Amino acid sequence: MKLGRAALGLLLLVSGVARAVEPISLGLALAGVLTSYISYPRLYCLFTECCGQKRSLSREVLQKDLDSKLFGQHLAKKVILSALSGFISNPKPKKPLTLSLHGWTGTGKNFASKIIAENIYDGGLNSHYVHLFVATLHFPHAANITLYKDQLQLWIRGNVSACARSIFIFDEMDKMHAGLIDAIKPFLDYYDHVDGVSYQKAIFIFLSNAGAERITDVALDFWRSGKQREEIKLRDMEHALSVSAFNNKNSGFWHSSLIDRNLIDYFVPFLPLEYKHLKMCIRVEMQTRGYEVDEDIVTRVADEMTFFPKEERVFSDKGCKTVFTKLDYYYDD
C-alpha cells in the first residue's frame, strides 16, 4: 500500500508534462522514473518504511530515552544500552540478539521493549518489522501446540526473509505453554543459515514475570542491610533468574532448550519500584498529557498505591501500571 501511494505520487509529479509528450514516450519515461525510484533505496525510503534502522543507532539517544522514561532500573538500562548498541554496530553477529526481561507487572518490561523498537524503527511497535506475540492471545489452547509451533516457525521465517533486522517480542512468557517456544530454537542458534535464511541480525525479546520473587528477595535484602539498590549487580541475580525460569513449571521456559543451550544472551532483572519511582512515573505522565506538574496531585496519586511487604511497605505491588488510571480521576473533564 505504501509503495502504491509513493508510485502514485511520482505519476502525478510527471503528469504535468503528459500533454507535451507522446503516449509511448510518456510510458517509457514513467517506467524509467519508477525503475530509478525502486533502484535507489534512499529515495525509495523517503516514501515508505524500509527494513533496517531508521538511522545508525545512536547510543546517546538510546541512553537519553532510557534515562527519561525508565525509572528505578539501573541494571536493565545498562544491559539494554550495551547489548543493543553493540549488536547493531556489529556487521556480522554470530547469532540473533536474545533478551529475556523479568520482573513484576508494572516495572517497565513492556516499556523497555517499546524503547528498543522506537530506537530502531520510526514506527516503533507499529512498524512492519516489529512483531508482538501475546501468549494468552496468540497461543491460548494447549491442545494446539503443534499447530502453533508450525505457524510460529513460518511467521518468523517469512518475516526474517523479508527483513533480516526483524524484531520479535514475546509477552507473557510465564503464561506460554511449556515446549512451544522451543520451536524457534534453530533460529536463535549459531547457524549462518537455516534453510537458506540467516537470522543473525534479528532481535528476540521475551517478557516474563518468572523469577520476580528472586528479584524482590535480592532487592529487599539490600534495602534491609542499608545498601542502595544501585549497588545491586547483574551477577547477584542473573544466574538465579535463568535457573528459576528453567525450573518453573508454569513458565514457557520450563526445561526449555533455549536456556539449556545458552541461547539467551541476557536475563535482565527489573527491580520492584519504590515510592519515589512512582512519583517519577506520574510526573512524566502529566507532562505527556500536556499538564503542568502539580506536586500535590503527584503525592496524592502515589499515596493511593499499595506497597509490600505489609510491615515495611517498601515496594509498589503494581509498579507504575495503575498510576495512569488513578491520574484520570484528577483530570476527569
Side-chain angles (χ1 to χ4, degrees), residues 157-217:
R157 183 182 295 114
N159 281 285
V160 174
S161 296
C163 178
R165 185 73 77 196
S166 291
I167 301 174
F168 301 94
I169 303 170
F170 294 85
D171 196 6
E172 298 184 341
M173 280 299 299
D174 48 299
K175 297 181 178 66
M176 182 175 285
H177 304 297
L180 173 56
I181 201 63
D182 283 353
I184 70 171
K185 181 263 176 190
F187 307 144
L188 305 188
D189 217 326
Y190 292 82
Y191 298 127
D192 291 336
H193 296 86
V194 178
D195 291 336
V197 179
S198 173
Y199 298 87
Q200 294 168 319
K201 290 187 176 182
I203 298 174
F204 292 81
I205 304 172
F206 306 102
L207 313 181
S208 176
N209 290 350
E213 296 89 350
R214 173 58 183 165
I215 297 172
T216 297
D217 288 342

Side-chain angles (χ1 to χ4, degrees), residues 22-34:
E22 295 178 2
I24 294 179
S25 300
L26 175 60
L28 292 175
L30 290 177
V33 169
L34 290 175

